[in-house]
């Protein structure tokens, strides 16, 4: 079975702090995709990143960075120099089969950035 | 970019009535669409996979007779909540997979259903 665990239910930091959101996944598949989505108060999911299981390179996009470690089945997300606009619920998700795209979501982490 | 719309964005209905939610891919064709449900402060749970021209595939525990899904064209899938009850109140989100690009999935803005 596929499972995604985001152990941090809520995180609150002060603006400009760095913050890391944890994601641990379980799957028996050798080919899979990992995702991060942002859900602001409006409710619409905003796609942040997709990573396939064969690409363990870390990725940086502006203030966002992702650390994929297959050995620990983790796909953590770091926001550097956080801003109030980063406040949202962040979901990590797993697609267990290429082409199927059924997503299994983690429980989500509610991130609050305080001014 | 690829845009997915949902209509209505919000709906309030009385218990016992049915309500239809539309999911449209505006600028691409989608052979597959997914329907998710999200209860307040909870995660998204996949309800069903909607394939154009065929019956939907429902996840375990989702009543197919209560949540009717129709995917009549490559740009439209509908979810009908039949005989709605207050416990069906939720945020319903659809997503569409771009035809020919199976890893590209786009989410709609969601529909908030309140059953009174």
């Amino acid at each position: 079975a596929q499972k995604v665990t985001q152990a941090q239910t809520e995180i609150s930091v002060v603006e400009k702090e760095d913050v890391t959101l944890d994601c641990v996944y379980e799957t028996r598949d050798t080919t899979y995709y990992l995702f991060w989505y942002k859900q602001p108060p409006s409710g619409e999911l905003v796609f942040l990143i997709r990573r396939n299981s064969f690409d363990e390179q870390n990725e940086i996009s502006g203030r966002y960075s992702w650390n994929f470690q297959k050995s620990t089945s983790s796909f953590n997300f770091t926001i550097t120099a956080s801003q109030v606009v980063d406040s949202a619920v962040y979901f990590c998700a797993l697609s267990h089969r290429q082409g199927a795209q059924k997503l299994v979501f983690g429980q989500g982490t509610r991130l609050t950035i305080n001014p | 970019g690829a845009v997915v719309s949902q209509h209505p964005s919000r709906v309030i209905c009385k218990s016992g009535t049915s309500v239809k939610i539309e999911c449209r891919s505006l600028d691409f064709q989608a052979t597959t669409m997914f329907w998710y449900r999200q209860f307040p402060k909870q995660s998204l749970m996949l309800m069903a996979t909607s394939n154009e021209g065929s019956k939907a595939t429902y996840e375990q525990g989702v009543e197919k007779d209560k949540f009717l899904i129709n995917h009549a064209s490559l740009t439209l899938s509908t979810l009908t909540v039949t005989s709605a009850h207050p416990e069906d109140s939720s945020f319903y989100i659809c997503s569409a997979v771009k035809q020919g690009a199976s890893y590209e999935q786009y989410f709609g803005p969601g529909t908030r259903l309140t059953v009174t």
Side-chain angles (χ1 to χ4, degrees):
Chain A
Q2 292 73 36
K3 185 179 178 182
V4 176
T5 302
Q6 294 178 255
Q8 304 150 309
T9 306
E10 294 190 28
I11 299 176
S12 181
V13 301
V14 177
E15 199 172 18
K16 297 184 183 177
E17 285 186 20
D18 298 346
V19 57
T20 296
L21 282 62
D22 298 333
C23 173
V24 174
Y25 63 93
E26 295 175 31
T27 181
R28 294 179 183 172
D29 293 324
T30 55
T31 301
Y32 52 90
Y33 288 79
L34 294 163
F35 302 78
W36 275 96
Y37 287 90
K38 174 182 180 180
Q39 188 178 40
S42 64
E44 185 164 358
L45 283 176
V46 177
F47 167 81
L48 296 178
I49 190 171
R50 179 188 65 249
R51 173 68 65 194
N52 75 54
S53 52
F54 297 107
D55 184 1
E56 287 193 69
Q57 278 191 329
N58 291 333
E59 181 153 340
I60 297 175
S61 175
R63 296 184 296 107
Y64 296 168
S65 63
W66 291 268
N67 183 304
F68 176 28
Q69 292 200 351
K70 228 170 172 177
S71 60
T72 56
S73 297
S74 65
F75 187 43
N76 297 337
F77 171 35
T78 298
I79 301 175
T80 303
S82 60
Q83 299 176 3
V84 173
V85 293
D86 296 327
S87 297
V89 180
Y90 290 85
F91 290 98
C92 180
L94 168 69
S95 171
H96 67 286
R97 182 161 60 97
Q98 184 179 1
Q101 283 302 298
K102 285 200 317 185
L103 292 175
V104 175
F105 284 86
Q107 301 92 320
T109 297
R110 182 175 300 276
L111 177 63
T112 302
I113 310 297
N114 299 298
Chain B
V3 179
V4 175
S5 70
Q6 280 185 242
H7 177 79
S9 56
R10 289 178 177 270
V11 57
I12 300 173
C13 71
K14 291 186 177 179
S15 189
T17 61
S18 296
V19 61
K20 181 187 285 188
I21 302 170
E22 293 185 348
C23 176
R24 291 181 186 273
S25 55
L26 297 184
D27 51 359
F28 65 96
Q29 293 186 326
T31 50
T32 301
M33 291 184 174
F34 296 99
W35 286 95
Y36 295 85
R37 179 169 57 186
Q38 184 181 29
F39 291 111
K41 295 193 176 183
Q42 293 190 25
S43 187
L44 283 79
M45 298 297 295
L46 179 66
M47 297 175 66
T49 304
S50 171
N51 295 300
E52 187 267 337
S54 64
K55 290 184 178 179
T57 304
Y58 291 81
E59 295 298 301
Q60 193 173 8
V62 177
E63 299 176 58
K64 62 180 182 180
D65 293 331
K66 181 170 183 61
F67 299 99
L68 301 178
I69 291 173
N70 184 282
H71 194 155
S73 77
L74 286 172
T75 59
L76 173 64
S77 175
T78 60
L79 168 68
T80 301
V81 183
T82 62
S83 187
H85 288 98
E87 56 265 31
D88 298 324
S89 298
S90 188
F91 192 55
Y92 292 88
I93 304 174
C94 73
S95 69
V97 180
K98 210 171 190 179
Q99 188 178 37
S102 59
Y103 52 84
E104 297 285 348
Q105 180 173 175
Y106 302 92
F107 283 85
T111 295
R112 189 163 303 282
L113 170 64
T114 303
V115 185
T116 61

